[in-house]
C-alpha cells in the first residue's frame, strides 16, 4: 500500500502487466486450440482409409441365420438392454452435472439453402396465430359459418324456396341503394310531377274547361295505387341507423312510423276520398278541399331530390352535377309558377261566379282580359302571362280587393322564388369554381416553376400534359374526414378498386367469402400514375408489392427473354409472389408506354390488414404456402407460371373446395370402372351412382380379380409393362387416366402408390432387376447382398396370397387419405389413415379394389391401417419416437395376431420402397437401405423382446454404421441424435460430434436425459419436426447445429416448468414453427434467445394424446432480419472463447478416451 502511494506510476504498471498476462493467456489458448485442431484434422484424413466396413452391410440378419454361433451372440446382444440406460430408468435429475467424454471439435457444416423462395417471416407468424384460431374454434365451425354466409347463393332449396327468393320483400328487406329501389323512386318522381301539374289544373278549371274526366280517374287511381305500393316497399326496405344498414323489420317499422308513415297514409286516404267524391257520394261535400290537400305530396320531393343529387355525385362528372342543380332549380321554379298561375285563374273564376259580383256588375281580371270565352289553354296562357309580368297598372276592377291582394302577394312571391333560383345556381357555380381552384393553382405553380428552369418547349409540353392527366386522375379534394366513417370510406375504396383486385383468383374468392376483408384490402391499394417510358418496376430491384395495371399501355420484358417485349394493357397483375416471399428480387421490367395508371399492394400493408380477420388470414396462409411450394418446384418459372399458380393454388385451398365443390370430386359421384383399355375415349366422364345404390353393387373384377392374378403369376416370366397394366386393371385407383388419384389431382401420390405395388411384387417374386430399374447410378444402387437381406426378411414372414393381396390393396389406396377432398368429406382433417378407413367403410365406389377382398384379407388390411396410424416406422428410422411407441404397437399386434403382423411387414416393405416413386424403387438404394433393413431385422423380434430392447437394438445397429461406440449414456444419446439429424456415414457422424462438443457438460447432460427418456418409466417429450429443425439449422449459416442444441436445452428447461403437473408419460411438442424460424432467421443472437419470446400452447383439458404447439410469436418473427450490433458481436466473441475453454478442459480431462 505504501509503495503504491509513493510511486503513482505503479498502478498503471500493474494494469499493463495484467492486460499483458490476459493477452498472453488468450494467445496460448488459441495456439493450443489450433494445434489440437490441426492434429485432429490430420487424424480425420487418415482414419477413413483403414476403417472397417459397416456392420449392417456385412452382418447376417437378426432373423434366421446360417451361422448359429454368430446368431446366438447377436440374439443375446439384442435381448439385453444397454446397461447405460439403467440409471435413466429411475430419475433424470441426478445426471445433469455428469461429465461426458467430448468428441473432436470442429465447426458444424453449413450448407447454402437450395431453395430460391422462402415464405416471409410475418406469414409464419400469421400462420401460427391462424393455426391457434383454427384449433380453438375448429375448422368444422368455420365451415358451417362460411356455408351460412353463402347459403343464399345455393340453388338446391326446392321450388318454394326459389320462388320466395324471387320475391325480395318476402325473403329479405331490400337494399335502399339497389337498382330496383332507385328505379322505383325515379318512377314515383315522374308520377309525382305529373300529379303536381294536373292537380292544380283540375282544381282551378273544375275539369270542365277542356280537360277530360277519364284522365282524372286514371291519374287518381295510379297515384293512389303507387302510394300504397310505396308504403309496402318502405316497410320492406332496409334503413340506415347510426351509419349502419339495418335489415331488422321491427327497426324498419319503427323508423318508418316516426318519419313518412303519417304523411303517406294521409295521402292514400285523401286519394280514395277524392275518388269517392267523384262518385257523387252525398256525405262528401268537401271533395275539392280534400283534393287540394293532395298537394302535400310535394313534400316528398325533398327525399327524391336527395336521391337525384346522390346519383349525380356517383357519376363523378362535375358538369352533370351542374346540370342537375340547374335542372332541379328550373323545375322547382316552373312548378311554383304553375301553382300561382292556377291560383290566379281560380281567384278570377271564383269571383266572376259569385252572385254578388253578378248583381253588382263586377268584372274579374278574366273578363277584363277578354279570356272568359276562350279555350282552357288560352286562359292558362293569359294567367301565366299575368303571373310572369303583370301589366301596370294591373287590369283589376277597383272594387276587387281579393284580386289586388293576390296580385301583391304574387309579385313578392315571384321575387323570392326567382331570387332563390338565381342564388342556388350561383352557389352551384361557386362550388364548382372552388373544386377547380386547387387544380388551377397547381397548374399555375407548375408553370411558374418551369418558367424558371429554362426548359425546352418540347419538355415543358410533355410535363404539362402529364400534369393534366395526373390532375384529372388524382385531383386532391380536402374534406373533413370525420364526416365519413371508416367503414363507408372502405366501401368507397372497394367500389373504385374492387373490379381490378378481383381479377386475381384468390382475391375474387375473398370477395365472395370474406367481403369485409376484401373491402379492407381494397383500402390498402395505392394508386400510381406513370408517364410514357417510365418504369413501374425494374429487374434487379427488391420486390415488395403486387402491381395491377388499371389503364394505359405497358411494355413487359423478362430477364430470361432479353429483347423480347410484350404489350400489356389494363386489367393484368404482376409480382404476386412479392406478397409472400422473403427477399424477392424482380426478374422482369414493366414500363409504361403511354400515360397509365397502376394500383400497388405492399406486402406489409397486406399482412397488417389480414391480422384483423383470422379466418381469412388462415386461407391466405394456406394459399401462400402452396404458392411458394409451386415456385420452388419451378424456380425458373416467370410471370406465366405465377399466373398459372394463382389459379391452381386458389383451387387447392380448403375454403374454395368447401364453398365451390367440384362435382367430380364428391365421393358419391365417383365410379371407377375396371377396364383393360389403355386409353379411354375423349368423351368418357365419371358417372354418378344411382340414388339408393350401394357401393358394394359395383361390378366385380374379371374372374377372381387380383388374387387370381397373383396365384397365376410366375417370377421368371414377369415383365414390367405387363405387370403395370395388370395392376391398373385390378387396382383401378392407380390408373393414370381415370383412377381415383387422377380425380383428386394427386399425381405424386399415385406415382408413390404405383411404385410401392410394383416394388412389393418384385420383392415377393424375387425380381432384383425390376426392383432396381429406376436406380440409374450404379454406385448407389441397392447391392445384391442387401437384396438378399430383404429376401431373408420376406422369407421369414412366409406371406400368403391373401396377405399379399391385402398389402397391395392397402398400398394402392393409402395415399388417397391425404387428399383434402377426401379429408373434408370424411371430416378427418389431418388423419389420413382415418380418411382411408372412411373410404373402406362408406365409399367403396372410390376404392373398388376393396370389393374382391376376402373377410380375412379385409381384416388384415383394416388392422394394418390401425397399426400404421399408431406407429410410424419412418419416425423410428430417424429416432423421432420412443420405446413407449414400440410398446403400443406390441400391444396392437398381440391383439391382432401373427397374420396381421406378417401382413404389416409386407406393407412396410412396399411402403418404404415406394416413398420416392418410380417404376420400381428409387428410395431403397445402397445408402438408404441399411437403416431400413436394420429396423426390420430388429422388428422381426418384436413379439419376443421388450420395447426398449427393440428400440435400442435398432439404434445399436445404426451405431455400427456410424463407427461409434455404444457403451455410455452419451454414446446412446449421440446415436439417437444422429438418427434425428439424418446422418449417413462415419464422416457425417464426426461432424455431429463436433457440434456436440461445443456444448457445456450441463447442456449435454440435459440432452442425454431427454434423449434417453423412454415414455414407459420416465416421462418423454417427443419433438415433432425435430429432424426438419436440425436440417434447416445446419443449412442456415447463421444458426448451425450447436446453437440449435443450446436452444433445445433452453426449451427443455422451459417445458419442465410448464408441464410439471401433466401426468401423461408421452408429450408431443410440435416444433414446426421453430423449424421455419431456424430457416429464416438472420441473427445468431436472436435465435439463441428465441425461447424467451416463445409461447407454449397447452390444450385445456389435456387429452390422452398430449400434443403441444410451440409458437414463435411476433416478437421473434419481427426480428428475423435484425442486424447484429457491436454489443452482439462482443457477446458472441466471449461466448466462443468460453466454449473453446470448455472443450479444452473436457479434452484434457478425458484425453485417454480420444486415443490421441
Amino acid at each position: 500500500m505504501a509503495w503504491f502511494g509513493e510511486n503513482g506510476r505503479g498502478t498503471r504498471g500493474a494494469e499493463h502487466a495484467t492486460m499483458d498476462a490476459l493477452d498472453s493467456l488468450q494467445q496460448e489458448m488459441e495456439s493450443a486450440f489450433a494445434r489440437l485442431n490441426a492434429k485432429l484434422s490430420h487424424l480425420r484424413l487418415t482414419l477413413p482409409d483403414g476403417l472397417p466396413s459397416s456392420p449392417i452391410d456385412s452382418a447376417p440378419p437378426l432373423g434366421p441365420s446360417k451361422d448359429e454361433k454368430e446368431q446366438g451372440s447377436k440374439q443375446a446382444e439384442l435381448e439385453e438392454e444397454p446397461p447405460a440406460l439403467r440409471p435413466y430408468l429411475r430419475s433424470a435429475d441426478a445426471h445433469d452435472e455428469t461429465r461426458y467424454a467430448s468428441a473432436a471439435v470442429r465447426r458444424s457444416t453449413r450448407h447454402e439453402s437450395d431453395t430460391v423462395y422462402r415464405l416471409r417471416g410475418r406469414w409464419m407468424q400469421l400462420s401460427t396465430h391462424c393455426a391457434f384460431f383454427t384449433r380453438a374454434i375448429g375448422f368444422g365451425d368455420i365451415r358451417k359459418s362460411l356455408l351460412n354466409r353463402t347459403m343464399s347463393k345455393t340453388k338446391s332449396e326446392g321450388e318454394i324456396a326459389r320462388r320466395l327468393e324471387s320475391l325480395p320483400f318476402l325473403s329479405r328487406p331490400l337494399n335502399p341503394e339497389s337498382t330496383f329501389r332507385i328505379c322505383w323512386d325515379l318512377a314515383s318522381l315522374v308520377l309525382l310531377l305529373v300529379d303536381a301539374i294536373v292537380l292544380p289544373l283540375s282544381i282551378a278549371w273544375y275539369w270542365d274547361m277542356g280537360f277530360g274526366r277519364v284522365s282524372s280517374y286514371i291519374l287518381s287511381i295510379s297515384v293512389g295505387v303507387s302510394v300504397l305500393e310505396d308504403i309496402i316497399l318502405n316497410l320492406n326496405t332496409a334503413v340506415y341507423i347510426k351509419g349502419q344498414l339495418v335489415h331488422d323489420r321491427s327497426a324498419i317499422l319503427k323508423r318508418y312510423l316516426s318519419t313518412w308513415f303519417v304523411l303517406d297514409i294521409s295521402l292514400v286516404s285523401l286519394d280514395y276520398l277524392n275518388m269517392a267524391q267523384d262518385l257523387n257520394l252525398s256525405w262528401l261535400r268537401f271533395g275539392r278541399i280534400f283534393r287540394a290537400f293532395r298537394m302535400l305530396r310535394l313534400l316528398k320531393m325533398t327525399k327524391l331530390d336527395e336521391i337525384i343529387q346522390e346519383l349525380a355525385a356517383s357519376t363523378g362528372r362535375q358538369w352533370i352535377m351542374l346540370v342537375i342543380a340547374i335542372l332541379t332549380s328550373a323545375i322547382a321554379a316552373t312548378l311554383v309558377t304553375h301553382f300561382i298561375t292556377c291560383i290566379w285563374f281560380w281567384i278570377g273564376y271564383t269571383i266572376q261566379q259569385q252572385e254578388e259580383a253578378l248583381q253588382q256588375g263586377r268584372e274579374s281580371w278574366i273578363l277584363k282580359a277578354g279570356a272568359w270565352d276562350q279555350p282552357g289553354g288560352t286562359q292558362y296562357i293569359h294567367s301565366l302571362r299575368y303571373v310572369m309580368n303583370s301589366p301596370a297598372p294591373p287590369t283589376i276592377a277597383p272594387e276587387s280587393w281579393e284580386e289586388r291582394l293576390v296580385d301583391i302577394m304574387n309579385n313578392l312571391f315571384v321575387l323570392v322564388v326567382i331570387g332563390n333560383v338565381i342564388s342556388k345556381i350561383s352557389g352551384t357555380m361557386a362550388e364548382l369554381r372552388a373544386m377547380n381552384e386547387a387544380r388551377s393553382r397547381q397548374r399555375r405553380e407548375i408553370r411558374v416553376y418551369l418558367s424558371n428552369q429554362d426548359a425546352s418547349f418540347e419538355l415543358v409540353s410533355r410535363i404539362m400534359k402529364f400534369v393534366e392527366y395526373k390532375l384529372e386522375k388524382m385531383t386532391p379534394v380536402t374534406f373533413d374526414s370525420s364526416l365519413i366513417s371508416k367503414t363507408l370510406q372502405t366501401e368507397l375504396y372497394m367500389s373504385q378498386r374492387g373490379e381490378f383486385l378481383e381479377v386475381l383468383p384468390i382475391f375474387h374468392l375473398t370477395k365472395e367469402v370474406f367481403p369485409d376483408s376484401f373491402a379492407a384490402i381494397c383500402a390498402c391499394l395505392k394508386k400510381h400514375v406513370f408517364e410514357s417510358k417510365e418504369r413501374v418496376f425494374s429487374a434487379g430491384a427488391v420486390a415488395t408489392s403486387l402491381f395491377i395495371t388499371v389503364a394505359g399501355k405497358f411494355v413487359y420484358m423478362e430477364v430470361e427473354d432479353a429483347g423480347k417485349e410484350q404489350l400489356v394493357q389494363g386489367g393484368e397483375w404482376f409480382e404476386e409472389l412479392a406478397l409472400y416471399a422473403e427477399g424477392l428480387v424482380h426478374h422482369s421490367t414493366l414500363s409504361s408506354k403511354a400515360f397509365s395508371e397502376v394500383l400497388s399492394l405492399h406486402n406489409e400493408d397486406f399482412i397488417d390488414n389480414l391480422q384483423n380477420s383470422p379466418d381469412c388470414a388462415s386461407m391466405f396462409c394456406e394459399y401462400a404456402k402452396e404458392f411458394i411450394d409451386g415456385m420452388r418446384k419451378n424456380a425458373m418459372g416467370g410471370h406465366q407460371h405465377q399466373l398459372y399458380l394463382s389459379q391452381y393454388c386458389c383451387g387447392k385451398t380448403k375454403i374454395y373446395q368447401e364453398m365451390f365443390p367440384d362435382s367430380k370430386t364428391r365421393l358419391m359421384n365417383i365410379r371407377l370402372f375396371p377396364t383393360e383399355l389403355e386409353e379411354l375415349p375423349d368423351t368418357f366422364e365419371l358417372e354418378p351412382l344411382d340414388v339408393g345404390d350401394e357401393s358394394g353393387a359395383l361390378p366385380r373384377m374379371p374372374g377372381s380379380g387380383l388374387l387370381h392374378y397373383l396365384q397365376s403369376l410366375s417370377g421368371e416370366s414377369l415383365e414390367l409393362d405387363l405387370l403395370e397394366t395388370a395392376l391398373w386393371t385390378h387396382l383401378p385407383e392407380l390408373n393414370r387416366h381415370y383412377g381415383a388419384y387422377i380425380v383428386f389431382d394427386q399425381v405424386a401420390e399415385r406415382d408413390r402408390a404405383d411404385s410401392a405395388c410394383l416394388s412389393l411384387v418384385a420383392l415377393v417374386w424375387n425380381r432384383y432387376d425390376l426392383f432396381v430399374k429406376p436406380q440409374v447410378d450404379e454406385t448407389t444402387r441397392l447391392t445384391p447382398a442387401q437384396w438378399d437381406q430383404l429376401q431373408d426378411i420376406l422369407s421369414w414372414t412366409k406371406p400368403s396370397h391373401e396377405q399379399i393381396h391385402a398389402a397391395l390393396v392397402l398400398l394402392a389406396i393409402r395415399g388417397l387419405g391425404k387428399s383434402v377432398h377426401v379429408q373434408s368429406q370424411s371430416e378427418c382433417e389431418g388423419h389420413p389413415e382415418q380418411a382411408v378407413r372412411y373410404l373402406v367403410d362408406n365409399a367403396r365406389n372410390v376404392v373398388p379394389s376393396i370389393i374382391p377382398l376376402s373377410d380375412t384379407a379385409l381384416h388384415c388390411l383394416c388392422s394394418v391401417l390401425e397399426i400404421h396410424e399408431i406407429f410410424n416406422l419412418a419416425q423410428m428410422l430417424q429416432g423421432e419416437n420412443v420405446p413407449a411407441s414400440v410398446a403400443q404397437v406390441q400391444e396392437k399386434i398381440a391383439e391382432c395376431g401373427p397374420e396381421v403382423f406378417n401382413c404389416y411387414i409386407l406393407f412396410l416393405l412396399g411402403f418404404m420402397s415406394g416413398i420416392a416413386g418410380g417404376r420400381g424403387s428409387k428410395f431403397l438404394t445402397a445408402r438408404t437401405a441399411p437403416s431400413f433393413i436394420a429396423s426390420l431385422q430388429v422388428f422381426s423380434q418384436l413379439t419376443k423382446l421388450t420395447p426398449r430392447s427393440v428400440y435400442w437394438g435398432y439404434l445399436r445397429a445404426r451405431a455400427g454404421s456410424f463407427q461409434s461406440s455404444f457403451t455410455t449414456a452419451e454414446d446412446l444419446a449421440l446415436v439417437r441424435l444422429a438418427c434425428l439429424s439424418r446422418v449417413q456415414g462415419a464422416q457425417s457422424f464426426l461432424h455431429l460430434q463436433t457440434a456436440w462438443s461445443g456444448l457445456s457438460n450441463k447442456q449435454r447432460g440435459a440432452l442425454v436425459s431427454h434423449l434417453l427418456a423412454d415414455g414407459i418409466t420416465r416421462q418423454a417429450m417427443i419433438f415433432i419436426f425435430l429432424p426438419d429443425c436440425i436440417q434447416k439449422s445446419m443449412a442456415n449459416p447463421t444458426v448451425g447445429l450447436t446453437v440449435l442444441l443450446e436452444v433445445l436445452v433452453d426449451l427443455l428447461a422451459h417445458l419442465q416448468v410448464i408441464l410439471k403437473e401433466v401426468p401423461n408419460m408421452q408429450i408431443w411438442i410440435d416444433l414446426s414453427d421453430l423449424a421455419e424460424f431456424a430457416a429464416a432467421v438472420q441473427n445468431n443472437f436472436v435465435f439463441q434467445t428465441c425461447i424467451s419470446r416463445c409461447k407454449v400452447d397447452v390444450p385445456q383439458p389435456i387429452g390422452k394424446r398430449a400434443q403441444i404447439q410451440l409458437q414463435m410469436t411476433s416478437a421473434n418473427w419481427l426480428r428475423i432480419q435484425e442486424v447484429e450490433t457491436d454489443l452482439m458481436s462482443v457477446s458472441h466473441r466471449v461466448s466462443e472463447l468460453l466454449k473453446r475453454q470448455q472443450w479444452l478442459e473436457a479434452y484434457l480431462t478425458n484425453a485417454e478416451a480420444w486415443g490421441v
Side-chain angles (χ1 to χ4, degrees), residues 842-857:
N842 304 289
R844 293 192 178 183
N845 55 304
V846 182
V847 286
S849 301
I850 293 292
I851 300 168
L853 287 176
S854 64
D855 293 340
T856 303

Side-chain angles (χ1 to χ4, degrees), residues 1134-1155:
V1134 173
S1135 177
E1136 186 71 18
L1137 287 174
L1138 289 175
K1139 289 178 183 179
R1140 292 186 180 186
Q1141 181 183 358
Q1142 292 168 0
W1143 178 88
L1144 187 59
E1145 291 175 356
Y1147 174 79
L1148 295 176
T1149 304
N1150 304 279
E1152 294 182 359
W1154 291 90

Side-chain angles (χ1 to χ4, degrees), residues 480-694:
D480 187 358
S481 59
S482 63
L483 297 177
I484 302 180
S485 68
K486 186 176 180 180
T487 302
L488 294 176
Q489 186 70 48
T490 301
E491 292 184 11
L492 178 61
Y493 285 133
M494 185 180 71
S495 66
Q496 295 172 341
R497 307 167 181 178
E499 61 179 305
F500 303 106
L501 185 61
E502 65 176 325
V503 296
L504 279 78
I506 187 63
F507 288 103
H508 180 75
L509 176 62
T510 306
K511 181 182 179 182
E512 294 292 329
V513 184
F514 307 106
D516 294 338
S517 298
F518 179 79
I521 295 171
C522 289
C524 296
L525 291 171
K526 292 182 174 59
K527 188 176 181 180
H528 309 274
V529 178
F530 294 94
E531 200 259 340
S532 176
K533 298 182 180 180
E534 189 175 357
R535 291 187 175 183
V536 180
F537 56 82
S538 303
V542 178
T544 58
S545 300
L546 163 74
F547 294 93
I548 305 174
T549 59
V550 176
K553 295 182 179 181
F554 304 84
V555 175
Y556 178 77
M557 183 173 62
E558 295 187 355
V559 174
E560 290 76 9
D561 299 330
K564 186 177 179 181
E565 297 181 349
Q566 303 177 30
L567 184 62
V568 178
Q569 296 184 351
E572 297 195 27
W573 74 94
F574 300 89
E575 300 298 349
E576 184 185 1
L577 183 61
L579 296 177
Y580 319 117
E582 186 81 64
L584 184 67
V585 175
H586 287 293
H587 292 84
S588 56
T589 300
L590 182 67
S591 304
S592 174
K593 193 173 182 180
F595 292 160
S596 55
E597 301 172 54
V598 173
L599 294 175
S600 69
L601 178 62
H602 196 276
N603 47 33
E604 293 293 335
D605 297 336
F606 181 46
I607 297 175
D608 289 340
N609 181 272
L610 288 179
Q611 289 180 341
N612 300 322
S613 178
D615 46 356
C616 181
S618 179
M619 179 190 72
F620 269 102
C621 287
E622 181 186 5
Y623 173 82
K625 291 177 182 178
E626 287 282 350
F627 201 95
I628 291 292
D629 289 341
M631 291 301 298
R632 284 173 181 164
K633 293 175 184 177
N634 187 5
M636 301 303 294
H639 174 59
Q640 293 301 322
H641 185 57
Q642 289 194 39
L643 297 182
Y644 163 75
L645 285 178
S646 182
Q647 182 71 39
Y648 175 78
C649 296
C650 179
K652 296 284 284 185
T653 58
K654 292 181 181 178
I655 297 294
Y656 182 89
Q657 293 172 4
E658 288 292 336
M659 297 297 102
F660 311 100
D662 186 357
S663 60
K664 290 185 178 182
T665 61
R666 309 309 293 176
L667 298 182
M668 65 173 61
N669 295 337
I670 297 175
R671 182 191 289 270
L672 304 182
F673 295 93
T675 177
E676 296 180 358
L677 296 177
E678 189 175 15
E679 298 290 339
L680 292 174
D682 295 335
T683 58
F684 176 81
E685 293 184 0
L686 296 174
E687 298 180 8
L689 289 170
D690 295 334
V691 178
D693 283 359
E694 297 180 358

Side-chain angles (χ1 to χ4, degrees), residues 252-477:
I252 295 173
L253 177 61
K254 188 176 181 180
R255 168 62 68 87
Y256 187 48
L257 290 175
S258 61
T259 52
W260 294 98
F261 176 76
V262 175
L263 178 61
D264 287 344
I265 202 69
S266 301
L267 293 176
V268 170
S269 302
L270 289 175
D271 288 333
Y272 287 104
L273 287 175
N274 282 325
M275 286 188 284
Q277 185 271 339
D278 288 337
L279 293 175
N280 297 319
L281 295 179
S282 59
W283 56 275
L284 290 174
R285 301 179 179 179
F286 304 101
R288 193 175 300 275
I289 299 176
F290 286 131
R291 188 177 300 176
F293 274 113
R294 279 176 56 185
M295 300 299 296
L296 294 174
R297 196 188 312 276
L298 295 177
L299 294 175
K300 300 196 72 173
M301 286 284 290
T302 57
K303 177 183 176 181
L304 296 174
D305 181 64
E306 293 177 1
I307 296 175
I308 294 175
Q309 295 293 340
E310 292 169 3
L311 286 174
S314 66
T315 62
R317 300 291 188 271
Q318 294 183 2
W319 65 270
I320 292 181
M321 296 173 61
L322 176 61
V323 169
I324 291 296
I326 295 175
L327 185 61
T328 54
S329 300
I331 291 175
T334 302
L335 287 177
V336 170
T337 304
H338 174 69
F339 296 155
I340 297 175
T341 299
C342 292
I343 291 172
W344 180 243
F345 181 84
W346 178 76
I347 290 292
Y349 186 83
T350 302
I351 291 175
Q352 193 64 40
Q353 291 293 103
Q354 291 178 355
E355 295 182 2
E356 183 181 351
L358 294 174
Q359 294 174 0
Q360 297 178 0
R362 269 196 320 181
E363 296 181 350
S364 67
W365 73 267
I366 302 175
L367 197 62
K368 285 185 172 293
W372 182 261
D373 296 327
Q374 299 297 320
T378 304
Q379 292 175 340
Y380 182 84
I381 293 174
H382 277 275
S383 180
L384 178 63
R385 162 69 178 78
Y386 200 97
V387 169
M388 295 294 295
N389 187 13
S390 58
T395 56
I396 301 174
E399 63 278 6
S400 181
W401 62 271
E402 299 97 335
E403 292 180 334
R404 198 168 296 278
L405 179 62
V406 171
D407 178 61
I408 295 172
M409 295 179 62
N410 171 61
N411 291 331
L412 295 175
F413 198 70
V414 167
L415 289 176
V416 172
V417 170
I418 295 177
N420 184 45
V421 171
I422 295 175
S423 174
K424 188 173 182 179
I425 295 175
S426 300
T428 303
M429 296 294 293
E431 289 180 5
L432 291 176
R433 282 194 298 269
M435 293 172 62
N436 294 324
E437 179 63 27
R439 181 183 298 181
S440 301
R441 178 178 53 79
Q442 288 181 329
R443 287 199 198 94
R444 289 195 301 270
E445 291 175 352
I446 290 293
R447 290 194 183 97
V448 171
Y449 171 78
L450 293 176
S451 64
N452 298 325
Q453 300 303 314
D454 194 21
S456 64
F457 173 77
E458 186 269 340
L459 179 58
V460 171
S461 177
R462 284 173 50 202
I463 292 174
M464 292 308 301
K465 289 179 181 178
F466 179 75
V467 168
E468 288 289 341
Y469 181 84
K470 192 166 185 178
L471 287 175
E472 180 182 355
K473 298 297 181 180
M474 303 179 67
T475 302
V477 178

Side-chain angles (χ1 to χ4, degrees), residues 742-762:
I742 302 303
V743 174
F744 295 129
D745 194 19
Q746 290 182 283
V747 178
E749 285 297 328
R750 193 212 73 86
D751 292 341
R752 282 190 279 269
D754 193 34
S755 173
C757 293
L758 291 172
S759 300
L760 182 59
V761 172

